[in-house]
């Protein structure tokens, strides 16, 4: 096969490729890069924490108040390093590849896994987050990574339009035997693809995504309650 024909075939294949598969490949690459980057940061961070602890012990042994001021700054630095380490751990948890297929879970459990990330993004925008967990949750069955992607796409669509002082509301509950999550926030002008991906992933799990102005609703079929 000539190079020109081979190029034409490749171009045609790309033109008809499933957009969700293309996005899935990109997400897989990003997950691998995030995992590698997190480990690259975590190793020197661990070394910094160890050396800082050694420095703090030596400062504490200095006579009188000679090392008191420096020790105070070292303590603040240690707290900040611990905060960064927690963020890296969160990144590692979210970027680890899925090793199993669909599993039984609840929207409460899934939201709990990503709420720290959502809260961080909201604080960056000087906005507030109101999160109402469901009291008696319907269990759902789907892949965990797909579930996170659906939830984050809906939440980030609302976060994109938040301004200082705005409030993002996330309510989880049960309706007609289905697990339901409603995300309320300003409508986004750039979330078309993001919402389309969330809707396609939800449909693959037997659920659906609906949008109505400032509300984005995810509904998933149940497999029991607890």
């Amino acid at each position: 096969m000539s190079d020109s024909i081979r190029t034409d075939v490749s171009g045609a294949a790309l033109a008809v490729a499933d957009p969700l598969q293309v996005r899935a490949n990109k997400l897989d690459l990003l997950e691998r890069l995030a995992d590698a980057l997190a480990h690259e940061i975590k190793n020197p961070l661990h070394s910094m924490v160890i050396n800082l602890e050694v420095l703090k012990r030596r400062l504490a042994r200095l006579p009188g108040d000679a090392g008191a001021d420096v020790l105070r700054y070292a303590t603040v630095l240690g707290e900040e390093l611990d905060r960064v380490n927690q963020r890296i751990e969160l990144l590692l948890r979210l970027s680890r590849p899925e090793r199993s297929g669909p599993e039984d879970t609840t929207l409460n459990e899934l939201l709990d896994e990503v709420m720290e990330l959502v809260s961080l993004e909201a604080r960056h925008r000087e906005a507030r987050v109101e999160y109402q967990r469901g009291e008696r949750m319907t269990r759902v069955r789907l892949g965990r990574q797909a579930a996170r992607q659906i939830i984050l796409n809906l939440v980030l669509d609302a976060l994109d339009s938040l301004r200082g002082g705005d409030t993002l509301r996330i309510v989880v509950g049960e309706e007609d035997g289905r697990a339901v999550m409603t995300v309320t926030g300003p409508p986004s002008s750039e979330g078309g693809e993001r919402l389309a991906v969330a809707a396609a992933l939800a449909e693959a799990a037997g659920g659906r995504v609906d949008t109505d102005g400032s509300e984005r609703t995810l509904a998933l079929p149940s497999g029991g309650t607890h």
Side-chain angles (χ1 to χ4, degrees), residues 54-67:
V54 173
L55 176 61
K56 287 166 65 176
R57 285 197 293 270
R58 291 186 178 181
L59 289 172
R61 289 199 296 266
L62 292 177
D65 297 330

Side-chain angles (χ1 to χ4, degrees), residues 36-50:
L37 179 60
H39 279 101
E40 286 296 321
I41 296 174
K42 192 170 180 61
N43 291 335
L45 184 65
H46 183 61
S47 176
M48 292 169 65
V49 170
I50 292 175

Side-chain angles (χ1 to χ4, degrees), residues 71-116:
L71 180 60
R72 178 166 58 86
Y73 290 120
T75 300
V76 172
L77 180 58
E79 292 172 352
E80 290 301 305
L81 286 174
D82 184 59
R83 184 178 63 84
V84 172
N85 188 57
Q86 291 176 13
R87 302 299 179 257
I88 296 298
E89 288 291 343
L90 174 63
L91 178 61
L92 283 171
R93 289 200 306 271
L94 293 177
S95 65
R96 288 189 183 106
E98 194 168 40
R99 303 187 185 281
S100 59
E103 58 183 277
D104 290 335
T105 184
T106 68
L107 285 179
N108 275 349
E109 294 171 2
L110 295 168
L111 258 300
D112 288 347
E113 291 178 2
V114 301
M115 277 309 298
E116 184 176 358

Side-chain angles (χ1 to χ4, degrees), residues 117-135:
L117 182 63
V118 173
S119 297
L120 280 171
E121 183 65 21
R123 284 202 297 271
H124 176 68
R125 299 170 185 270
E126 299 182 343
R128 298 187 301 273
V129 177
E130 293 181 0
Y131 170 36
Q132 181 179 323
R133 303 177 85 249
E135 294 183 359

Side-chain angles (χ1 to χ4, degrees), residues 203-222:
E203 288 175 8
R208 61 181 297 164
V209 167
D210 295 305
T211 58
D212 182 12
S214 62
E215 286 193 353
R216 306 144 186 87
T217 303
L218 166 66
L220 294 170
S222 69

